Amino acid sequence: MARRAEPKEERHGVSFSSLDTELAAGTGVSKRALVDYLDGIADRMLPALRDRPLSVIRSTRGQMPFMQKNLPDHAPEWIERAPLWAEASQRTVDYALCNDVRTLMWFANQRAVEYHVTLSCTADLHAPTHLVIDLDPPEGAAFSVVAAAAHRVHEVLNEVGLAAAVKSSGSKGVHVVMPVTDVSSEEAIFATRAIAARTERLDPDALTTAFLKDDRGGRLFLDATRGGLSTVVSVYSPRLRPGAPVSWPLAWDELNGFEPSDVTIENALGLLDGREPWSALLPSPQQVPAVLVEEGSEIPTPRVAAMHEGKRRARAAPQVSSSDA
């Protein structure tokens, strides 16, 4: 007997297939749950994606999850694009701009689970609209460790007069987000480094800016490397983890007691109950204090410093001759 063709569903002009299959191995949720969530969250999530070059993490059946930056050849022509030169690969990358619900639905059908965006918009990619400190806890740390670190960052920001909002990363960490204006990419990078360094000094036994994992000694990493055209996972984006948790906006007094697993694609819309908290929590764009830019300009670039340190350690390591092997 011939196999009956699977009925297809359509939303916003996009046809969907395999909706009742598992989204990805180990997630325990269906592709339908992803589509339902993104359809329901679109009006809240799209403002955070709009006009920002998009990278997604996809989970196609039978393959390992992968990050996709360049739009595939089969992508519809109606998806807006931002062609950008990539120094690393020496080619132009055709990034998508997710500016409407139809584009978001197309990505959902492609099993794009995570949505990572640049900190600047296509209008001026050298003028970031946000500074971000990414709080990355050591393996096995409770979320209370991350919450305590976020409050430390908040102390530093209060001292220099910068307002910020906070959201869970959807994984194990937190993003402290500061909307800014009239700042160059270089100035933003310097200021972010200075904020991280000031925070580290408040509690060096628990916090570190060490880029090399071997140097962190079980401390939480204050990641200040989100600059230039690097990306951060969007607010409301699902994460490719068991249960598909969501990057979730939090008031500062909600950090204590929160767990990343509290909010998933299956309960997030019900928790919102029609609200859009992120836009309410985000402060207005603000000037970056010159003192932070000056301080940060004196701090070595973390990745470059780590590279030189790695080479130094390699030269200092005992050499094993072929006769000793």
Side-chain angles (χ1 to χ4, degrees):
M1 180 181 294
R3 187 174 179 180
R4 181 180 297 177
E6 177 188 5
K8 292 193 174 184
E9 296 182 27
E10 183 174 308
R11 304 188 201 184
H12 307 286
V14 175
S15 294
F16 294 91
S17 60
S18 305
L19 284 173
D20 295 319
T21 59
E22 188 176 18
L23 179 59
T27 58
V29 297
S30 67
K31 179 180 174 182
R32 181 183 297 279
L34 174 71
V35 172
D36 287 344
Y37 169 72
L38 291 175
D39 194 3
I41 202 70
D43 60 341
R44 301 169 177 87
M45 187 173 170
L46 284 172
L49 302 178
R50 192 174 308 282
D51 292 332
R52 297 178 188 273
L54 176 68
S55 303
V56 296
I57 293 183
R58 293 178 57 198
S59 176
T60 58
R61 287 189 291 176
Q63 296 185 35
M64 293 293 292
F66 62 96
M67 177 167 276
Q68 176 182 292
K69 297 183 178 183
N70 200 38
L71 268 175
D73 292 339
H74 62 81
E77 292 184 1
W78 44 258
I79 293 179
E80 294 185 63
R81 290 158 165 80
L84 300 177
W85 178 254
E87 284 294 335
S89 57
Q90 290 292 292
R91 66 185 181 118
T92 297
V93 175
D94 223 12
Y95 285 89
L97 299 177
C98 192
N99 288 346
D100 54 57
V101 67
R102 183 165 64 153
T103 300
L104 187 60
M105 290 293 94
W106 182 84
F107 274 111
N109 193 47
Q110 298 293 305
R111 294 178 182 264
V113 182
E114 301 190 9
Y115 296 77
H116 298 249
V117 289
T118 58
L119 298 182
S120 55
C121 297
T122 52
D124 189 347
L125 290 170
H126 301 291
T129 57
H130 298 79
L131 310 184
V132 173
I133 299 284
D134 183 1
L135 307 184
D136 184 9
E139 194 66 35
F143 191 78
S144 58
V145 171
V146 188
H151 287 303
R152 286 297 203 181
V153 176
H154 202 195
E155 287 180 44
V156 168
L157 298 179
N158 285 337
E159 288 175 0
V160 297
L162 272 179
V166 65
K167 67 182 183 71
S168 71
S169 69
S171 178
K172 58 183 180 176
V174 152
H175 297 144
V176 180
V177 181
M178 298 145 272
V180 294
T181 187
D182 298 328
V183 62
S184 68
S185 293
E186 185 178 53
E187 290 167 337
I189 290 168
F190 291 160
T192 307
R193 285 182 203 161
I195 293 166
R198 286 188 177 209
T199 306
E200 179 183 34
R201 290 196 293 270
L202 290 180
D203 194 354
D205 292 333
L207 309 173
T208 183
T209 57
F211 189 79
L212 294 175
K213 285 188 176 181
D214 290 346
D215 293 343
R216 295 177 193 170
R219 294 170 291 175
L220 180 142
F221 177 43
L222 299 159
D223 186 353
T225 63
R226 305 305 172 109
L229 289 180
S230 61
T231 62
V232 65
V233 71
S234 171
V235 67
Y236 300 119
S237 172
R239 300 304 300 269
L240 196 54
R241 306 281 191 276
V246 171
S247 179
W248 195 245
L250 296 163
W252 285 100
D253 60 5
E254 292 177 325
L255 277 167
N256 296 333
F258 179 81
E259 292 294 335
S261 59
D262 289 347
V263 187
T264 72
I265 61 173
E266 295 192 299
N267 71 355
L269 294 172
L271 292 171
L272 286 173
D273 192 26
R275 299 176 299 117
E276 201 298 274
W278 186 237
S279 61
L281 292 169
L282 274 177
S284 300
Q286 58 212 302
Q287 299 286 336
V288 175
V291 64
L292 292 179
V293 176
E294 184 178 352
E295 285 180 21
S297 68
E298 301 297 323
I299 299 172
T301 303
R303 283 190 175 89
V304 175
M307 179 186 67
H308 289 311
E309 177 61 15
K311 290 180 179 179
R312 186 196 67 77
R313 292 179 187 182
R315 289 195 299 268
Q319 300 297 310
V320 179
S321 67
S322 58
S323 61
D324 293 331

